[in-house]
Amino acid sequence: MAQEQSVYVPRLRVYYEQAVRPALVERFGYKNVWQVPRLVKVCINMGVGKAKEDYQTLENAVKEVAIVIGQRPVITRAGKSISAFGIRKGMPVGLRATLRGERMWDFLDKFFNLALPRIRDFRGLRRDGFDGRGNYSLGLQDLLIFPELDFDDVERRRGMDITIVTTAHTDEEAMALLETLGLPLAQERLIPGG
């Protein structure tokens, strides 16, 4: 008797397969299911300027990002010396991580539905974050919007850059994909008198 094991499938991925994909096929008239835009990865970057003076600051940043994204980020080091900034080649200057698969879906679900609504006076994300090739980038000023971090746990306010990479060929397709998944983009501003 083989015992059945339940396989975990992220909630946002199920929503993509059952609701978002058919909606995009209907809207854009794709002939093949592989033409439908899908998520590839989420890239996360954080600069830690104080790391050159205090290594503990870097370790705290690594811990905070690991709690938020669910995996330990890689420490990035300076590629060359820049005397104006007091940086020597090989010094730690930031963090980066790439999320794929289940971690990517879980992070985006948490980001869209829990973290972004916690931003004070939030009216949506900017629409000009698309790069022309179907990818969307944004910057966060404070990691405290994530429910895993408590105000007492963080040493200081830190932000990070997030890039959502898709297979969409145009910004219109990527915008439709991300908005249907739940990315809260701001309403377009109307030009007065126009």
Side-chain angles (χ1 to χ4, degrees):
M1 286 187 168
Q3 194 176 27
E4 252 186 71
Q5 291 182 340
S6 62
V7 177
Y8 171 72
V9 180
R11 183 179 74 142
L12 193 62
R13 183 174 182 177
V14 171
Y15 179 68
Y16 168 77
E17 292 169 355
Q18 294 178 353
V20 175
R21 189 188 298 157
L24 292 175
V25 167
E26 183 179 325
R27 178 173 173 184
F28 293 103
Y30 297 117
K31 304 287 186 223
N32 187 331
V33 72
W34 292 106
Q35 289 178 306
V36 180
R38 61 191 180 281
L39 297 176
V40 177
K41 62 185 174 180
V42 174
C43 300
I44 295 175
N45 294 303
M46 174 191 281
V48 185
K50 302 278 184 194
K52 63 183 180 198
E53 300 153 6
D54 183 18
Y55 195 75
Q56 187 61 41
T57 301
L58 182 69
E59 285 301 315
N60 290 339
V62 167
K63 183 182 76 169
E64 292 167 16
V65 172
I67 289 171
V68 167
I69 67 174
Q71 76 182 33
R72 185 176 169 86
V74 175
I75 296 173
T76 56
R77 300 189 177 275
K80 62 181 184 177
S81 299
I82 303 173
S83 63
F85 296 117
I87 296 175
R88 288 191 202 96
K89 182 177 181 178
M91 276 185 156
V93 291
L95 310 172
R96 69 177 168 84
T98 303
L99 303 176
R100 290 183 169 90
E102 291 178 2
R103 284 196 181 126
M104 171 189 70
W105 289 105
D106 286 337
F107 174 77
L108 288 177
D109 190 13
K110 174 178 59 176
F111 183 57
F112 294 166
N113 299 311
L114 293 176
L116 287 175
R118 291 176 58 153
I119 296 176
R120 183 186 304 226
D121 298 330
F122 183 67
R123 293 191 178 95
L125 297 171
R126 296 172 55 131
R127 290 181 173 266
D128 60 358
F130 290 95
D131 66 352
R133 295 185 177 148
N135 305 317
Y136 184 72
S137 298
L138 68 127
L140 292 179
Q141 294 181 348
D142 196 357
L143 291 180
L144 286 173
I145 63 170
F146 289 96
E148 296 90 355
L149 292 179
D150 190 24
F151 188 75
D152 298 331
D153 297 339
V154 296
E155 172 191 18
R156 57 184 295 243
R157 288 180 59 185
R158 288 187 178 81
M160 67 180 176
D161 300 321
I162 300 172
T163 301
I164 303 170
V165 180
T166 71
T167 60
H169 295 293
T170 65
D171 287 348
E172 181 187 2
E173 292 173 322
M175 191 179 302
L177 167 67
L178 293 175
E179 275 190 312
T180 312
L181 280 173
L183 182 70
L185 293 174
Q187 298 299 319
E188 293 185 47
R189 294 187 182 140
L190 299 175
I191 300 171

